Amino acid sequence: MDRALFGVAPVALPHFSQSDAMKPCILLIEDDSDMRDLVAGHLEHGGFEVHRADDGIKGQALAFQYCPDLILLDLMLPKVDGITLCQRLRREERTAKIPILMLTALGGTKDKVSGFNSGADDYLTKPFDLEELTVRVKALLRRSDRAPLSTKHNEILSYGCLTLVPERFEAIWFDAAVRLTHLEFELLHCLLQRHGQTVAPSLILKEVWGYEPDDDIETIRVHVRHLRTKLEPDPRKPRFIKTVYGAGYCLELPNGSTVPAPATPLPTPVEAERRP
């Protein structure tokens, strides 16, 4: 294998203080032995504990056994494919909130949408540079509930019909509690800080995902669609999370007592989580 394709130069990995009881634990599920050894060795050199699996069945067993801090998941796996495994992990309470980064040679838009819809938090196309992998891992660990919340989330944020509760990654929406994934929470937080303004995709990617990849607008679209499914009376005709074509997204909320009742009942947290 041409190791240059994967950027094997030394890379600064996430720093964890000595107060951490254990090394951050990563589960790598990858059937290509060369890729598995290269990625695992790089992460172990950077101070991570890495568990390895070469098929979907072993990967699921190790995920349930170790409940790692992050999962690197190949899409095309033997026995159980990555999409199916990701869906299973999201349905299981022990693994439902673990960040999942998909690693795959399939880089088409439909493939990315399928990955995100199955529950993946991020998506990296092979061949990739290990420096980029490091950036993605760091960003996902920052958002994880196993990492400290950023200072911007120290207080509950509220405007009109929307209140964000950082401690639970939850939105109080028209007096109903709606559970959000970490990414959905960060995305909604980003839009709320600029309520009534158009937020450019580049700013969303930098603030929510922590990086500025090229041509990755589909990442945002999928998660905006998930937010609309949970918050909009009719996600196909959004009233609150609006697309400003060619410019970005805008969160528009009525203020105070002028808040209109939703046209249809809002989904419960459980119903919202079950929707695609």
Side-chain angles (χ1 to χ4, degrees), residues 189-258:
H189 175 273
C190 177
L191 295 175
L192 183 59
Q193 301 317 293
R194 301 159 181 87
H195 170 263
Q197 305 174 31
T198 299
V199 186
S202 59
L203 179 59
I204 294 175
L205 285 170
K206 183 176 182 179
E207 186 165 310
V208 177
W209 275 263
Y211 56 84
E212 300 180 70
D214 296 329
D215 193 26
D216 208 6
I217 187 65
E218 195 60 40
T219 299
I220 302 176
R221 287 176 180 162
V222 172
H223 288 88
V224 166
R225 186 158 60 243
H226 289 172
L227 266 182
R228 286 172 173 163
T229 298
K230 293 183 177 183
L231 303 181
E232 293 280 1
D234 184 354
R236 295 168 298 180
K237 299 178 181 178
R239 299 164 56 188
F240 308 112
I241 305 174
K242 298 184 177 181
T243 299
V244 182
Y245 291 99
Y249 296 92
C250 179
L251 179 66
E252 293 187 359
L253 299 175
N255 191 13
S257 60
T258 63

Side-chain angles (χ1 to χ4, degrees), residues 89-233:
L89 295 175
R90 287 295 178 240
R91 288 195 296 265
E92 171 63 39
E93 184 177 359
R94 289 172 291 174
T95 55
K97 294 184 179 181
I98 296 175
I100 297 176
L101 170 57
M102 281 194 169
L103 307 176
T104 176
L106 302 176
T109 297
K110 290 184 179 179
D111 300 309
K112 290 184 178 181
V113 171
S114 296
F116 286 127
N117 283 341
S118 69
D121 295 281
D122 205 352
Y123 194 106
L124 190 57
T125 304
K126 302 173 185 176
F128 53 81
D129 189 283
L130 288 178
E131 183 175 2
E132 183 175 4
L133 174 65
T134 299
V135 171
R136 305 294 182 99
V137 168
K138 290 172 65 176
L140 286 173
L141 288 175
R142 279 200 304 270
R143 290 194 301 268
S144 172
D145 60 358
R146 300 156 193 258
L149 291 176
S150 58
T151 55
K152 67 184 179 183
H153 293 160
N154 283 345
E155 298 179 358
I156 294 177
L157 301 171
S158 182
Y159 186 93
C161 55
L162 175 65
T163 297
L164 297 183
V165 186
E167 294 79 7
R168 299 194 297 271
F169 288 98
E170 184 177 271
I172 306 301
W173 179 243
F174 286 99
D175 297 323
V178 178
R179 289 189 303 171
L180 304 173
T181 67
H182 296 166
L183 277 173
E184 290 165 355
F185 185 92
E186 294 283 353
L187 176 56
L188 191 55
H189 175 273
C190 177
L191 295 175
L192 183 59
Q193 301 317 293
R194 301 159 181 87
H195 170 263
Q197 305 174 31
T198 299
V199 186
S202 59
L203 179 59
I204 294 175
L205 285 170
K206 183 176 182 179
E207 186 165 310
V208 177
W209 275 263
Y211 56 84
E212 300 180 70
D214 296 329
D215 193 26
D216 208 6
I217 187 65
E218 195 60 40
T219 299
I220 302 176
R221 287 176 180 162
V222 172
H223 288 88
V224 166
R225 186 158 60 243
H226 289 172
L227 266 182
R228 286 172 173 163
T229 298
K230 293 183 177 183
L231 303 181
E232 293 280 1

